[in-house]
């Protein structure tokens, strides 16, 4: 195996039995795509390379000493993650091209005067599709992680824009308001509140936006006592563009506080009563 290493960018495998063609292809792709290139000369070596290392794409000649590039493409297409394979052939053949694309080849290039330009374009396009797919997967993973974090808390978390539209809300908050995160996204928060509470919320959100400072307050709804905090979210221009809201159910804590106060008052009364009894006894 011959290789050119260009840092930690793309990793490509070139399968070509002609040493001069292999070297030219390796130099071309390394220069134009800033890729690290390994080259092998036959199907068996390609299988071994793919089994031992992770590659982003394969460029293979059609005619190989122990098989064909279609054989390699067929094997790669059966993998769970279909690695992009670009087939290069010495002469155009509609049957070979049709079979290559049936097996989901990422490209088919004929060895002619346009080979250097065409192969680099086809490989570049395949790598671009990989980048897009990976970005989408990372975005979805980030959204899943964000949703998991939002739903992990037993308290209400939501984010609204300056028009009062819900940008995101967790399961707890949606359940308390009688909806689901999916159906509530994009709707107005006030649509889920009674008129009196909606008016108060509007004033509180407006105050947080006007002062650009967190605002804390309590309210009661459906037998619950909620401790609320509004956090203004600033944009690049320093202006408030969103409001993050956090609501914590303190009903039990508030009941415990009231019970503690009542018990403390009863204790003081009993102490006073006992003190009076002792004074009377002493007298």
């Amino acid at each position: 195996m011959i290789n050119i290493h260009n840092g930690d960018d793309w990793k490509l495998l070139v399968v070509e039995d002609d040493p001069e063609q292999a070297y030219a292809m390796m130099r071309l792709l390394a220069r134009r795509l800033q890729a690290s290139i390994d080259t092998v000369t036959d199907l068996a070596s390609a299988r071994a390379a793919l089994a031992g290392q992770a590659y982003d794409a394969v460029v293979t000649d059609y005619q190989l000493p122990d098989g064909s590039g279609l054989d390699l493409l067929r094997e790669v297409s059966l993998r769970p993650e279909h690695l992009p394979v670009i087939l290069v052939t010495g002469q155009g053949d509609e049957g070979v091209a049709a079979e290559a694309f049936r097996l989901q080849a990422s490209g088919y290039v004929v060895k002619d005067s346009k080979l250097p330009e065409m192969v680099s374009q086809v490989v570049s396009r395949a790598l671009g599709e990989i980048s897009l797919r990976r970005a989408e997967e990372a975005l979805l993973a980030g959204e899943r992680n964000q949703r998991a974090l939002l739903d992990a808390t037993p308290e209400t978390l939501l984010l609204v824009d300056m028009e009062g539209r819900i940008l995101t809300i967790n399961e707890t908050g949606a359940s308390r308001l009688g909806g689901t995160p999916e159906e509530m996204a994009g709707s107005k928060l006030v649509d889920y509140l009674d008129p009196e509470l909606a008016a108060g919320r509007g004033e509180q959100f407006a105050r947080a936006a006007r002062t650009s400072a967190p605002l804390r307050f309590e309210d009661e709804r459906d037998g619950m006592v909620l401790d609320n905090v509004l956090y203004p979210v600033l944009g690049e221009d320093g202006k408030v563009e969103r409001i993050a809201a956090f609501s914590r159910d303190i009903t039990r804590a508030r009941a415990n506080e009231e019970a503690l106060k009542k018990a403390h008052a009863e204790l003081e009364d009993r102490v006073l009563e006992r003190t009076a009894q002792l004074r009377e006894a002493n007298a």
Side-chain angles (χ1 to χ4, degrees), residues 90-269:
Q91 56 184 5
D93 186 310
E94 291 183 359
V96 173
E99 181 64 9
F101 287 115
R102 188 187 72 80
L103 293 172
Q104 299 180 346
S106 295
Y108 178 85
V109 183
V110 178
K111 291 182 179 179
D112 57 18
S113 60
K114 297 180 180 179
L115 174 63
E117 189 64 31
M118 291 301 298
V119 75
S120 59
Q121 286 183 8
V122 172
V123 176
S124 179
R125 183 172 65 244
L127 297 179
E129 292 173 355
I130 293 174
S131 293
L132 179 59
R133 185 176 71 249
R134 289 176 180 175
E136 291 173 344
E137 290 172 351
L139 180 61
L140 289 174
E143 290 176 350
R144 287 193 295 268
N145 291 338
Q146 182 186 51
R147 174 55 58 185
L149 289 173
L150 288 175
D151 293 338
T153 175
E155 311 304 341
T156 296
L157 294 172
L158 67 107
L159 185 68
V160 300
D161 63 15
M162 301 313 296
E163 300 298 323
R165 285 187 295 267
I166 298 173
L167 301 177
T168 186
I169 186 170
N170 68 345
E171 289 282 357
T172 301
S175 177
R176 285 177 179 170
L177 294 173
T180 66
E182 293 76 19
E183 69 185 17
M184 294 178 70
S187 61
K188 291 289 190 73
L189 175 61
V190 296
D191 293 341
Y192 300 91
L193 306 175
D194 63 67
E196 183 179 352
L197 184 59
R201 275 292 186 276
E203 294 176 1
Q204 290 151 348
F205 274 80
R207 180 180 172 186
R210 186 175 61 254
T211 62
S212 300
L215 177 64
R216 187 165 194 163
F217 57 93
E218 293 181 8
D219 58 25
E220 294 187 23
R221 184 172 67 247
D222 299 327
M224 297 173 59
V225 181
L226 298 174
D227 177 33
N228 307 288
V229 184
L230 303 182
Y231 291 95
V233 180
L234 305 182
E236 294 182 356
D237 58 0
K239 296 181 179 179
V240 178
E241 59 181 23
R242 295 182 180 89
I243 300 288
F246 171 78
S247 295
R248 183 166 59 96
D249 182 3
I250 60 170
T251 307
R252 180 176 297 180
R254 185 52 50 82
N256 290 339
E257 289 178 5
E258 294 299 325
L260 185 61
K261 288 179 181 179
K262 182 178 179 180
H264 185 69
E266 291 177 351
L267 180 60
E268 287 184 340
D269 290 343

